[in-house]
Amino acid sequence: MQDILVIAVFAFLGAAAAGLLGVLTLRLLRHRSLTVSMTVVAAVAVLAMLAGTLAVAWEMFLSPHDLQVVTVVVAMAAVVSLATALLLGRWMVAGSKALTLAARSFGEGGSFAAPSEPVSSELAELTRELEATSAKLAEAGERERALERSRRELVAWISHDLRTPLAGLRAMSEALEDGVAADPDRYLRQIRTEVERLNAMVGDLFELSRIHAGALALSTARISVYDLVGDALAGVDPLAREHRVHLVGDSVEALPVEVDSKEMSRVLGNLLINAIRRTPADGTVAVAAERSPDGVVLSVTDGCGGIPEEDLSRVFDTGWRGSQSRTPPAGAGLGLAIVRGIVEAHQGRAAVRNVAGGCRFEVTLPTAGA
């Protein structure tokens, strides 16, 4: 038992000395290639075994022949171990370099293409993460390009819509100034109408800029959708009478929601005004509110005849007005974009689909307390 203990001590001391030397070497070479580090690790393992074996051999007073045999065996093991470490290191370095080149092309603005060389599980995991990041960046880039196109279209449409009333205001003001206006009161009423229209357009732009900047501050409170719909219907009733459109709000349940009543009134007002203006005379605009598994669904159904299928996905885009809505009083195409922004700020969603004779806009809001 004592001999075993002595052998264990000598083996441990020899291996510990080799391990300490290996740690110091790795620290000095920590910024070198992975191949060098793996070679050092293999060498440390062999040297630890060699040092422990030789220490025990000397302690056991082996014959010179036996000691030579042991040394040769350990040396051959060292050669094989070092060769294996070098091959493994070169293989891993090759995979790492291929991944580096792929990541470099990714960073220069291209898409990430995974290298074909086999790599370790860690590098394979990194490759999958880079592929996922590349896909997300590509999607974000596409959204950014779509937003930029939408902004360019919006600027063009806003410029057109501003130029027309401004030209009219200038002509009417010059007529009044020169005293050639046949009916000054009519001119003044028209000027007031155009100014109110411009003011509404500027207000929509300001609201949309707050939404895009994430600066829309909500003051939420518990309220019944029945009250929300009732106030909205009362607000658009004069416009409905002017267009001879019937408003129906019989299918509205008294369901509670946590919303900013001012902003949600704007949502319903925009949807109702949009529906009234696009519904023919003697048509009907119906408002409904019902509970669904996702929350509370507010819907506005009009009689516009429907929206082309290829345009349904663009209805809530900034500046979209459709092919038949690019002249006043259609507005600047901001109303539905504002609707989506406000609804999403309430953790809800806005959608549209065609129904018989028209289309149905749906706003889904979380139930109060959910």
Side-chain angles (χ1 to χ4, degrees), residues 34-232:
L34 181 62
T35 302
V36 175
S37 299
M38 295 193 64
T39 304
V40 171
V41 171
V44 167
V46 173
L47 288 176
M49 182 179 64
L50 177 60
T53 302
L54 291 179
V56 172
W58 287 331
E59 177 62 23
M60 295 176 64
F61 302 103
L62 294 177
S63 66
H65 178 269
D66 293 340
L67 184 58
Q68 184 179 8
V69 171
V70 171
T71 304
V72 170
V73 171
V74 174
M76 292 301 101
V79 171
V80 174
S81 299
L82 291 176
T84 304
L86 285 171
L87 289 175
L88 180 60
R90 290 174 65 85
W91 175 71
M92 294 189 66
V93 168
S96 177
K97 286 182 177 179
L99 184 58
T100 300
L101 291 175
R104 185 176 301 162
S105 65
F106 176 35
E108 291 173 352
S111 58
F112 178 78
S116 58
E117 291 82 358
V119 293
S120 63
S121 60
E122 291 80 7
L123 291 181
E125 179 65 25
L126 179 58
T127 299
R128 287 191 291 270
E129 289 296 328
L130 287 174
E131 287 178 331
T133 302
S134 176
K136 291 178 182 177
L137 287 177
E139 183 180 351
E142 183 58 34
R143 286 199 304 268
E144 182 66 23
R145 287 188 290 273
L147 181 59
E148 184 60 29
R149 288 194 299 269
S150 177
R151 286 172 178 169
R152 287 197 297 267
E153 291 177 356
L154 175 62
V155 170
W157 293 344
I158 287 291
S159 300
H160 174 270
D161 285 350
L162 287 177
R163 188 180 296 113
T164 301
L166 286 175
L169 288 171
R170 180 178 180 178
M172 287 185 287
S173 63
E174 289 177 350
L176 290 172
E177 185 178 15
D178 295 340
V180 297
D183 187 353
D185 290 338
R186 183 175 67 83
Y187 275 50
L188 291 173
R189 288 193 299 271
Q190 185 64 27
I191 289 175
R192 180 183 179 87
T193 299
E194 294 296 337
V195 168
E196 289 178 350
R197 179 167 168 259
L198 290 173
N199 183 64
M201 191 181 300
V202 172
D204 285 346
L205 284 170
F206 178 70
E207 181 78 0
L208 194 62
S209 67
R210 287 200 305 157
I211 292 172
H212 286 170
L216 183 63
L218 299 178
S219 300
T220 60
R222 188 184 182 92
I223 188 172
S224 170
V225 294
Y226 186 86
D227 296 332
L228 275 176
V229 172
D231 293 342

Side-chain angles (χ1 to χ4, degrees), residues 4 22 64 71 79 83 88 95 115 122 128 143 154-155 182 203 236 253 274 276 279 284-285 290 299 311 321 358 361:
I4 297 297
T71 304
V79 171
L88 180 60
E122 291 80 7
R128 287 191 291 270
R143 286 199 304 268
L154 175 62
V155 170
V236 299
E253 299 182 30
N274 188 68
I276 292 170
T279 298
T284 300
V285 171
E290 56 189 0
S299 64
D311 287 341
R321 292 183 291 185
F361 287 85

